[in-house]
Amino acid sequence: MSKDRPNLIENQLLSALPTEEYKRLLPNLELVSLNFKQIIYAPDEPIEYVYFPNSGIISLVNVTEDGRTVEAAMVGNEGMAGIPVFLGADKMPALAISQVVGDAVRMKVDVFKREVTPSTSLYKLLLRYTQALLNQISQSVACNCLHPVEGRCCRWLLMCHDRVKSDQFMLTQELISQMLGVRRASVSEVAATLQKAGLIRYSRGKITICDRQGLESASCECYQVVKEEFDRLLGTP
């Protein structure tokens, strides 16, 4: 990485910026940790920062009145958490929570609004990213309604794998069940099946991807649909 691109930033949106714009934004970016189950945005609370993950994953989660949850989308180092601000809002009804530990750089909302204008490269990138994110959300709706738990779980693990950039990461079955909106027992059954097939290894909250190709074969088509749209709009890193 060049001296103009310090190691503290591995976010793909920021890394794609022209050097001059990147250097202009850099003083406004603060490096922060993403801790397990850290609340990034509470529902209907003012958004103070936008986040550009370097590693780890932020989930956008819908929570019902009776406390049940389901993930609408995930944000990793390919994107930004805080799209409502980009679209002109100051809050959102969903919960944004860190589900895989890592780090991010964040920018204050007032600075973001001042610096990211229609003439900037980041603004144009965020337009395409927003379209890709909306596609991820709509595909998640279809997937959650129409596909078996095993295919959904494989799709979700593949999306995590892409964003974490490691074959091994901490992830509990309880969290997976909350993100998919299914019973924990269902996730346990799927995990046992995938482990028996040699696709993953699971022990004490740690998941290891052992056979990426096999996991893709076991996934429903939603993983590939979402990935191809991200690649089309933002390019493969």
Side-chain angles (χ1 to χ4, degrees):
M1 186 171 289
S2 73
K3 64 181 180 180
D4 293 326
R5 307 280 167 146
N7 289 329
L8 65 85
I9 295 182
E10 298 178 17
N11 179 273
Q12 294 172 28
L13 291 175
L14 297 178
S15 296
L17 295 177
T19 298
E20 183 178 346
E21 183 172 336
Y22 181 96
K23 292 173 71 174
R24 177 173 58 82
L25 293 176
L26 192 58
N28 300 305
L29 296 170
E30 176 190 7
L31 182 65
V32 294
S33 297
L34 297 177
N35 301 312
F36 182 55
K37 289 191 175 181
Q38 176 184 344
I39 295 176
I40 307 301
Y41 306 132
D44 297 318
E45 293 292 329
I47 296 174
E48 298 181 0
Y49 294 89
V50 296
Y51 288 78
F52 298 89
N54 293 316
S55 59
I57 296 172
I58 296 172
S59 282
L60 308 181
V61 180
N62 290 321
V63 184
T64 61
E65 288 184 353
D66 60 4
R68 289 181 294 175
T69 62
V70 66
E71 182 187 74
M74 66 170 66
V75 181
N77 70 348
E78 84 293 346
M80 184 189 86
I83 286 298
V85 173
F86 177 64
L87 297 176
D90 61 357
K91 62 183 69 173
M92 63 181 185
L95 171 72
I97 187 171
S98 174
Q99 67 177 13
V100 176
V101 298
D103 64 77
V105 289
R106 68 182 186 180
M107 182 187 296
K108 291 182 178 180
V109 165
D110 58 342
V111 175
F112 177 84
K113 291 178 178 179
R114 183 184 72 233
E115 297 291 341
V116 184
T117 61
S119 63
T120 63
S121 295
L122 183 53
Y123 186 96
K124 296 176 177 67
L125 280 171
L126 284 171
L127 285 175
R128 297 199 297 274
Y129 172 70
T130 300
Q131 174 59 33
L133 185 67
L134 289 173
N135 179 69
Q136 183 191 157
I137 293 170
S138 65
Q139 199 68 38
S140 293
V141 172
C143 189
N144 289 337
C145 291
L146 302 175
H147 292 152
V149 175
E150 182 173 332
R152 292 166 56 194
C153 190
C154 291
R155 182 262 303 175
W156 195 82
L157 288 174
L158 287 165
M159 291 178 67
C160 287
H161 190 217
D162 288 344
R163 288 155 177 79
V164 173
K165 304 298 182 183
S166 172
D167 291 337
Q168 190 176 89
F169 42 94
M170 300 300 295
L171 208 58
T172 65
Q173 291 184 9
E174 180 183 7
L175 179 62
I176 297 174
S177 69
Q178 291 172 348
M179 295 302 102
L180 295 179
V182 299
R183 295 182 303 113
R184 181 175 177 177
S186 298
V187 173
S188 297
E189 291 174 8
V190 169
T193 299
L194 297 179
Q195 184 159 253
K196 186 176 181 180
L199 305 185
I200 68 169
R201 185 167 62 251
Y202 181 81
S203 177
R204 297 180 180 179
K206 183 182 295 183
I207 287 183
T208 303
I209 305 298
C210 301
D211 183 353
R212 166 81 190 203
Q213 186 174 354
L215 203 60
E216 289 186 16
S217 297
S219 172
C220 59
E221 73 269 21
C222 296
Y223 168 72
Q224 201 60 37
V225 170
V226 172
K227 184 179 185 302
E228 288 177 357
E229 187 72 352
F230 268 97
D231 290 348
R232 181 182 73 84
L233 289 165
L234 297 167
T236 303

